[in-house]
Amino acid sequence: MQKKRLITRARPLAAGALIMFATSSLAQVSMPVPGSQTADGRKVLTFVAKDPPGVRCNGNLQVAVEIANVYRVLIQLVPSSLVPQLPAPAVFFGNEMIAADGKDHNGGVSYAIVSDVLEVEGVPKQAKAGLIGNANVRQRFDSLKETIKTGGN
């Protein structure tokens, strides 16, 4: 009987701790991003890049190109000098952090990471995919991305 009472008392404590942990986690992934929403409340996809951009920043900008070719979402590309309060490189959807330097994905994203967020948020797709879907353009685009990753070597 004593053991059962202890377990019953421990459950509310565990639940409270879980709620506190979840709340603190949410506070860490939401940041005040300038221009994070339009006047009508639509979330903006924000890419913050270092000045000058490095490999992760350039890679993120290539992801922005791919996203723009598939999704109908407003995208802003912001140099870190204009938002010194935010980590760079970083990617936000509204004020929600998708990736940030020293945090999730260490600031680098992939098309899959960003598109997963947009799918969950119900962001509509373009009626017709952009030129990145064209085989010739895609081959050149992938070659450019590889050059960026290797530093031109």
Side-chain angles (χ1 to χ4, degrees):
M1 189 70 163
Q2 194 71 310
K3 191 174 183 181
K4 187 174 183 179
R5 250 189 236 149
L6 183 59
I7 291 172
T8 305
R9 288 182 185 161
R11 282 185 189 152
L13 293 174
L18 181 60
I19 290 170
M20 285 175 45
F21 176 75
T23 304
S24 68
S25 294
L26 290 176
Q28 292 175 0
V29 297
S30 181
M31 295 184 173
V33 179
S36 64
Q37 289 189 349
T38 63
D40 62 352
R42 288 179 41 202
K43 290 182 181 180
V44 174
L45 185 60
T46 303
F47 290 82
V48 180
K50 289 184 178 183
D51 303 321
V55 174
R56 289 176 296 162
C57 297
N58 281 325
N60 286 353
L61 298 183
Q62 299 308 317
V63 170
V65 169
E66 292 178 275
I67 292 295
N69 274 264
V70 177
Y71 291 92
R72 290 178 41 209
V73 62
L74 295 169
I75 298 173
Q76 65 175 342
L77 311 172
V78 183
S80 61
S81 60
L82 295 180
V83 286
Q85 75 279 12
L86 297 176
V91 180
F92 297 89
F93 186 59
N95 288 321
E96 178 188 338
M97 180 183 65
I98 297 173
D101 186 44
K103 296 184 183 346
D104 291 353
H105 310 290
N106 200 27
V109 293
S110 65
Y111 174 84
I113 291 169
V114 177
S115 67
D116 284 350
V117 171
L118 299 180
E119 288 292 325
V120 167
E121 291 284 335
V123 174
K125 292 188 174 183
Q126 301 283 8
K128 180 181 173 188
L131 288 177
I132 293 298
N134 176 291
N136 186 34
V137 174
R138 185 66 200 202
Q139 184 179 9
R140 290 180 182 178
F141 181 70
D142 288 340
S143 175
L144 170 65
K145 288 193 324 186
E146 190 57 37
T147 301
I148 290 169
K149 284 180 186 174
T150 62
N153 297 327

